[in-house]
Amino acid sequence: MKKSLLISLAITTATGVYAQEALSSSAPVASPVINPDNSVTLTLKAPAGHDIKVLGTCIDGYRADMTISADSSRWSYTTSPLQPGVYYYTFTMDGVNVLDPSNIHILQDVATLNSYFIIRGDGKDIGSLCSVNDVPHGTLSHAWYRSDFHGADRRMSIYTPPGYEYSDRRYPVLYLLHGMGGDENAWVELGRAAQILDNLIAAGDAEPMIVVMPNGNISEDAAPGEGTKGLTQPVFNLPQCMDGGFETSFPEIMNYMDRNYRTIASREGRAVAGLSMGGFHAMNISREYPESFDYVGLFSAAMLNHATADSPVYRDAGSKLARQMELQPSLYWIAIGTDDFLYKDNTAYRHQLDSAGYPYVYHETDGGHVWKNWRDYLAIFAAQLFKNGEKH
Amino acid sequence: MKKSLLISLAITTATGVYAQEALSSSAPVASPVINPDNSVTLTLKAPAGHDIKVLGTCIDGYRADMTISADSSRWSYTTSPLQPGVYYYTFTMDGVNVLDPSNIHILQDVATLNSYFIIRGDGKDIGSLCSVNDVPHGTLSHAWYRSDFHGADRRMSIYTPPGYEYSDRRYPVLYLLHGMGGDENAWVELGRAAQILDNLIAAGDAEPMIVVMPNGNISEDAAPGEGTKGLTQPVFNLPQCMDGGFETSFPEIMNYMDRNYRTIASREGRAVAGLSMGGFHAMNISREYPESFDYVGLFSAAMLNHATADSPVYRDAGSKLARQMELQPSLYWIAIGTDDFLYKDNTAYRHQLDSAGYPYVYHETDGGHVWKNWRDYLAIFAAQLFKNGEKH
């Protein structure tokens, strides 16, 4: 394992200079290669006589056969020209998943790992927004807050905007919640939240803000591998994810932030948003604590019928929603793709809002229940937050 | 890719309850499985008719053939009983690297990725020290400091000890440097620095301290994928890693810390240590700024003859070392394994110190130029730092 390092560090003692060798025998080909037309060539060094495929969001139809080179040493596939964005892929060799050995960049999505790359456009496209650009960068922290409710220290990710360390000012806070099977790393890694915020703030398209990404799976204290359970694999814990415990204990997170960070600790300085299960949490949290949040974002939100869930949080939803709307939140934003399996439920929820005369902003897109949409939604939602002078 | 999430999130709308399904079709077997005797069984689901091996630090002889199951559906290998520690492995299938599809836990070491697991003992063994235990946890941050010397914002990792957020006290700082091909993530990920410090501090075996892990590869602003160059692959940049620039500009990092964190901003509150190239950096930085550091740790340090390197940092090394030793650092600690390819150079350096009568503490171990040793060295070194009343 250390062979590559050993080779490269090997001193040619006669001259006192390190010999510089190939990094690793495991990366003999360049992959991925982004071509001038934004098509991407993926290559795997593998012998002939196999069934080798590539699967991924960069592939038309999600799956394709790879083609062996004339010298039978490597397999390749070139995508169609791609729009700016973040793309995942993995190879399979006779049915076995093979991450691209030439690409160290891996994203975990629930229990699967994928290689990934980013296609950038030339401006404010989502690929550029998801990239690390030459702009001031915020700080990303992983901190642990005490939850007396859950009897545990729990891990969360916190983005503070560029300049936070140097200034005395207070900042508004966006609480940004993940979906089922996700954790406090999901918006950081898959969601590129720090890069999106850095770039929006640098362009003047979003207010400088703190972004808090807690772990909404209350059966765990942290993401798999980051908590006291050790190097576990991801699990769904539906009853514990949506039993009201996370919503009920949410003030512990706000209190931690307001005590330890220079937050604007009042309604006009707080937003809560989430995707899928996190959208469900955001809907309930904002409804349960309407005096705490002036901005709400529901991204492909789950909209459960909670007749069976026994939590005070889910009771009297109608009157709580009425109270929340009475306070006239500056933004109640609902976004979903037309192919999302939760589209119908979101439509029903909007009809409920419509018939009660409650205002909201609706953003409908193409696509399904995918991170491609959630990154877009974050960029669009964050740009609308904490604008001075609107409704205040 | 989202299939597993879609399945699991699929609402059975009639009952309003989410159906809970298998997480992913890509993890049909459990692997790794730690057996009661601390042997570990690694399993790959793959068809017959292949050459399937496992490589890794958990394998006697580093490489072994795997054995196919009676039903020809999966390949397995069981290690010998293992000592506590962190272990890496990867499969190969007809020569192609295959990361364990059942294990989401991956470590990057220069340009290679490996699956990993941890064997724990029952006390202060390194496996337990490297684990997340039920103790107070520090905060781990990734921040960017301005380097006017390099004309860039540069990323670093910062560990603050448990209670930092709640207290007004000032803390000493350990500057902890990586090796060639590493970056600001190396001590965090491969080195388990946050876990080691959490556990040492909780046990009362180390003083609460801040640990700063900068990026010593000054041709880069950040680890691959975290910087403005985009999703690059790791590269060695020897001339720029060891041309004196990192050492010369090191006060920019200390200034950032002293300005933005509650540090003890004086000699008795600072240590600098590093592994391999980072040991070389620590040796030079502590010699160049002897008034700044009271503790020095050289872990498997590179000890170059710098006749050819043109930097003021490397000039007058003898008189600078004399000045450093005149100030009587509380600890000048040298550690190396007898199989390390730098062992001979370290011996020569110790002879140089001996003949000048300069005191140091020497810690010799088994093993080579490997993270197994560096995690041990960090635990032993950190426990000796910032003890009140010793020499002060």
Side-chain angles (χ1 to χ4, degrees), chain B residues 169-191:
Chain B
R169 64 172 283 199
R170 294 187 166 272
Y171 293 87
V173 183
L174 164 60
Y175 292 88
L176 188 59
L177 312 180
H178 63 79
M180 199 181 304
D183 52 55
E184 73 276 16
N185 294 336
W187 271 111
V188 174
E189 303 291 338
L190 290 157

Side-chain angles (χ1 to χ4, degrees), chain B residues 141-163:
Chain B
S141 299
H142 302 288
W144 297 73
Y145 71 98
R146 179 64 198 173
S147 171
D148 290 328
F149 186 92
H150 302 297
D153 292 341
R154 305 192 72 245
R155 189 171 178 267
M156 61 180 161
S157 300
I158 302 168
Y159 168 88
T160 51

Side-chain angles (χ1 to χ4, degrees), chain A residues 248-306:
Chain A
T248 302
S249 64
F250 201 78
E252 295 180 325
I253 296 171
M254 293 191 279
N255 289 341
Y256 178 91
M257 291 306 302
D258 291 337
R259 192 182 307 130
N260 295 309
Y261 285 77
R262 294 194 314 279
T263 61
I264 296 173
S266 57
R267 181 166 180 258
E268 66 270 20
R270 288 203 203 93
V272 60
L275 72 91
S276 192
M277 178 185 82
F280 170 79
H281 285 153
M283 175 181 68
N284 287 309
I285 289 166
S286 67
R287 197 177 61 206
E288 187 72 6
Y289 309 107
E291 291 85 1
S292 293
F293 298 98
D294 200 15
Y295 303 85
V296 181
L298 311 184
F299 308 168
S300 309
M303 307 285 186
L304 278 181
N305 168 6
H306 275 279

Side-chain angles (χ1 to χ4, degrees), chain A residues 1 23 62 88 94 141 232 234 302, chain B residues 1 18 23 50 62 88 141 234:
Chain A
M1 196 160 313
L23 261 183
Y62 193 69
Y88 318 144
D94 300 334
S141 300
T232 55
Chain B
M1 197 161 314
Y18 286 121
L23 259 181
H50 292 282
Y62 192 71
Y88 318 143
S141 299

